[in-house]
Amino acid sequence: MTVSEYNQSVDLFSDRVYRFVLKSIRDIHKAEDIVQDSYEKLWKNAENVSFEKVKPYLFTTAYHTMIDLIRKEKKSLYSEDLKLPDEGRENNYSDLGEILKEAVDRLPEIQRMVLLLRDYEGYSYEEIGELTNLNESQVKVYIYRARVFLKKYIGNIEMVV
Amino acid sequence: MKINRNNYEAWFIDYLEGNLDETRVDDFIEFLQQNPDLKEELSLFETVSATPEEMTFSKKEKLYKEKYDAEKEFEYAAVARLEGDISPEENIEFERYLSVHPEKQKVVGLFEKTKLQPDKSVVFSKKNKLYHYSAGRTILLWTSRVAAVLVVAVAIYTFIDRSPGRLNFINQVAVVENESPKKEIAREVKEVPVKKEKKEVPEGKETTPVKPAAKKAEPKPEPAKSLRENSKGRLGSDDLALLQIREEAPAELEKVAASLLVEQPEVALAVMNIAYTEQQETVYEERLLADVVREKTGIGNLSVNKIKKAGLSLVSSLSNDKFNYETNEEGEITEINYDSRLLAFSIPTKNEGAGE
């Protein structure tokens, strides 16, 4: 990868990686640090990474950095203790986007990250598996569980409306 | 236990259902013979037999369950359909199920709403920290940074210069006024003495009007010292002509001031030419080497946008990141931000509007 290709990758992918990381860990400063770290690793390894592989390289690096960070903070990656909103709860949301955003925030990190890779970046199960070191069926299960939870969450709020 | 009048009912039931043990049959018969009233009661039981009626439940259809009635199966199929992961056969079956159960369409609609859309307003604002440049490019970058800063400095100077500019122009006018009339005066002064010399020659001959000639000779050096003194001191036709020249001078000088503005951008362009001259030198040396240099340094890709970015990056680093700019996916600058304790502002650039 040439220098100009590296700089081009900044223009092309830094916003996307940033959105993925920010949405996953919900901390602006940490997200910025992780994006910078990912690009720093890419720069150090620029000779071994072809331009076609830059995007998955960045997402893989960012993903694993996040996983390490979450483990350090002793958060549960796989917590299934999902709390749905009370059915009788007052609806304070202006639109579906807000409801969905809150629902996504309540997902366990691993499910959220896998779902973001799927929806934001359109990666296949197989590609997500390669990025995250999970097998394809695990990816499938996480996406399935995440969607079911989101559907129930939206459904509960809409019932009130 | 032997049969008696207290427990005979259990014996009767066993007998009627054919469950009475053979060893007990004799006792049972003996008991019935001894108690004819109970024998009669037993005969009543024998006639009672409930025969089932031919009845059918007409709403069995509602009770039948399909595969997709199981919540998990339905959700799995709905997610698979959303993900494009459902097989054609399953999809046909699922569609058929939905047509029969229209109420389930709402659930499918909810699943479709779980598809997340990226918020494109969220952008990484510190791209300038990520860019890297080669050595040649760095030199070029610094050249362009300096050029950009110079352009900014000249632009600021131009803006600042405009407001008090009128005063400057007046000063400039005054300077030029002094110069131009001086030349004219000098010429006239030279002319005057010629005339006076001519006059003096005849005066010398006549000898009588020596005093007026001496008086005329005295004011001659005065005009060379000061214009004002001349104008005040004299009221002759020559002086009036000088005054007329002064009135014309300001109109011409305004044009001179305008030409100064034109010269300023040329200063910035001169700096740009330095970068190109380097390129030209390499061209003369060897063409192939020039191509290599061009590729590595990215001179060929030099654009106004990159110069802008370079200048802004320098300002950003000088201001400890208080000054930042944002770019879109194509690398064009979309917004300029400044954030300090006292002041914060954000200026969207024209590129953003054009891009959208």
Side-chain angles (χ1 to χ4, degrees):
Chain A
M1 188 174 62
T2 64
V3 176
S4 70
E5 282 174 339
Y6 167 84
N7 287 332
Q8 206 182 334
S9 76
V10 174
D11 291 334
L12 288 174
F13 308 125
S14 63
D15 289 339
R16 287 163 168 262
V17 176
Y18 179 62
R19 273 180 217 132
F20 167 58
V21 177
L22 181 62
K23 200 75 181 157
S24 297
I25 60 170
R26 292 168 288 161
D27 184 314
I28 291 173
H29 298 297
K30 283 175 187 166
E32 286 176 349
D33 287 346
I34 288 171
V35 173
Q36 286 186 44
D37 287 350
S38 301
Y39 271 91
E40 200 53 44
K41 282 176 186 166
L42 173 66
W43 176 248
K44 282 177 185 167
N45 210 17
E47 286 181 5
N48 305 320
V49 182
S50 67
F51 187 58
E52 294 73 36
K53 296 279 181 189
V54 165
K55 190 184 168 194
Y57 182 91
L58 288 168
F59 275 93
T60 305
T61 313
Y63 172 83
H64 288 290
T65 313
M66 279 194 284
I67 294 286
D68 290 344
L69 183 76
I70 293 163
R71 283 186 178 143
K72 271 184 195 168
E73 292 177 356
K74 293 177 183 174
K75 282 185 185 174
S76 172
L77 276 172
Y78 309 97
S79 170
E80 295 290 330
D81 185 23
L82 302 178
K83 288 181 181 172
L84 290 168
D86 301 330
E87 288 187 10
R89 168 183 142 172
E90 194 180 346
N91 176 45
N92 294 322
Y93 298 101
S94 55
D95 60 7
L96 176 72
E98 288 291 309
I99 302 168
L100 197 56
K101 190 178 168 230
E102 189 181 286
V104 169
D105 287 348
R106 292 188 179 209
L107 285 170
E109 279 87 353
I110 192 83
Q111 286 184 24
R112 187 162 60 235
M113 286 190 269
V114 167
L115 188 69
L116 289 170
L117 288 170
R118 176 75 181 152
D119 284 357
Y120 278 20
E121 300 305 323
Y123 279 123
S124 67
Y125 296 144
E126 187 184 357
E127 287 168 326
I128 295 170
E130 285 172 10
L131 289 179
T132 56
N133 280 349
L134 296 169
N135 67 45
E136 210 177 314
S137 60
Q138 277 176 307
V139 172
K140 218 169 180 175
V141 167
Y142 285 138
I143 289 174
Y144 167 77
R145 286 181 188 170
R147 288 221 190 282
V148 170
F149 173 76
L150 295 183
K151 181 225 95 183
K152 283 181 182 163
Y153 198 95
I154 299 168
N156 276 15
I157 300 260
E158 285 202 341
M159 276 168 67
V160 181
V161 180
Chain B
M1 188 184 289
K2 207 168 183 179
I3 187 169
N4 55 44
R5 288 190 75 88
N6 294 324
N7 65 4
Y8 72 93
E9 285 163 321
W11 286 70
F12 276 19
I13 289 170
D14 284 344
Y15 171 74
L16 290 170
E17 290 180 354
N19 293 329
L20 192 65
D21 197 275
E22 286 181 8
T23 54
R24 294 181 168 185
V25 173
D26 292 341
D27 291 341
F28 183 66
I29 292 168
E30 190 182 344
F31 176 75
L32 288 177
Q33 286 171 350
Q34 289 169 3
N35 301 283
D37 56 324
L38 294 178
K39 190 179 180 181
E40 192 178 342
E41 189 180 321
L42 180 66
S43 64
L44 290 174
F45 277 113
E46 285 174 342
T47 57
V48 177
S49 61
T51 52
E53 293 178 35
E54 285 296 321
M55 288 170 72
T56 53
F57 182 64
S58 61
K59 296 181 179 176
K60 283 178 191 156
E61 296 80 27
K62 288 190 176 179
L63 302 181
Y64 290 132
K65 293 291 179 190
E66 285 189 63
K67 178 184 173 186
Y68 295 124
D69 283 318
E71 192 183 6
K72 274 205 163 187
E73 286 291 343
F74 182 86
E75 287 177 339
Y76 187 82
V79 173
R81 190 162 165 262
L82 184 68
E83 300 288 342
D85 194 35
I86 195 168
S87 70
E89 296 79 27
E90 275 184 324
N91 194 33
I92 291 167
E93 196 183 344
F94 191 66
E95 292 286 351
R96 186 200 58 74
Y97 177 81
L98 287 177
S99 63
V100 179
H101 300 87
E103 74 280 0
K104 291 275 188 178
Q105 278 286 4
K106 196 184 171 188
V107 182
V108 174
L110 283 175
F111 271 113
E112 282 167 0
K113 286 176 184 171
T114 66
K115 199 91 180 168
L116 307 178
Q117 295 295 327
D119 182 0
K120 298 214 168 178
S121 65
V122 177
V123 292
F124 186 63
S125 59
K126 295 182 177 174
K127 286 196 188 76
N128 50 336
K129 285 192 173 180
L130 303 179
Y131 294 117
H132 283 275
Y133 302 102
S134 62
R137 179 74 189 275
T138 308
I139 294 165
L140 183 71
L141 175 71
W142 275 100
T143 312
S144 57
R145 277 179 173 180
V146 171
V149 169
L150 281 174
V151 169
V152 171
V154 168
I156 292 168
Y157 175 76
T158 309
F159 281 120
I160 293 169
D161 197 32
R162 275 181 185 170
S163 53
R166 290 172 189 171
L167 291 170
N168 290 341
F169 293 154
I170 291 163
N171 292 337
Q172 287 171 5
V173 167
V175 172
V176 178
E177 265 183 6
N178 289 338
E179 286 172 359
S180 56
K182 272 177 188 173
K183 288 174 184 174
E184 289 164 6
I185 291 159
R187 285 173 190 169
E188 285 172 10
V189 167
K190 284 173 186 173
E191 287 169 5
V192 170
V194 171
K195 289 175 187 175
K196 284 164 188 172
E197 281 170 7
K198 285 175 185 175
K199 286 176 185 176
E200 282 173 4
V201 174
E203 281 171 0
K205 289 174 182 176
E206 289 173 359
T207 63
T208 46
V210 173
K211 286 178 182 175
K215 284 176 185 175
K216 285 179 184 174
E218 283 174 4
K220 281 170 197 169
E222 286 176 0
K225 289 177 182 173
S226 162
L227 279 173
R228 289 180 183 175
E229 286 175 9
N230 285 338
S231 60
K232 287 175 184 174
R234 293 186 177 183
L235 294 170
S237 59
D238 292 342
D239 297 330
L240 287 170
L242 287 172
L243 287 168
Q244 284 174 355
I245 290 162
R246 281 179 209 156
E247 287 171 357
E248 288 169 4
E252 291 172 4
L253 288 164
E254 282 177 5
K255 290 176 185 173
V256 172
S259 69
L260 286 171
L261 287 171
V262 176
E263 286 172 7
Q264 287 165 350
E266 285 175 8
V267 175
L269 287 172
V271 178
M272 292 297 297
N273 288 336
I274 293 167
Y276 285 107
T277 51
E278 289 173 6
Q279 187 190 357
Q280 283 169 0
E281 283 172 13
T282 54
V283 167
Y284 287 122
E285 286 172 15
E286 188 179 351
R287 283 184 184 177
L288 288 170
L289 178 64
D291 290 339
V292 173
V293 171
R294 193 173 180 176
E295 279 174 21
K296 289 201 171 184
T297 59
I299 289 172
N301 298 326
L302 187 66
S303 67
V304 177
N305 192 42
K306 285 182 179 175
I307 294 175
K308 272 195 237 168
K309 276 159 83 171
L312 290 169
S313 301
L314 180 63
V315 176
S316 175
S317 60
L318 290 174
S319 66
N320 280 337
D321 294 335
K322 286 175 183 168
F323 186 91
N324 269 313
Y325 68 93
E326 292 178 10
T327 59
N328 59 16
E329 290 184 355
E330 291 166 1
E332 292 172 341
I333 297 161
T334 57
E335 205 171 274
I336 297 166
N337 300 312
Y338 181 79
D339 189 3
S340 72
R341 287 181 183 176
L342 293 172
L343 180 67
F345 63 81
S346 176
I347 306 167
T349 63
K350 288 176 185 175
N351 289 339
E352 190 179 23
E356 288 170 358

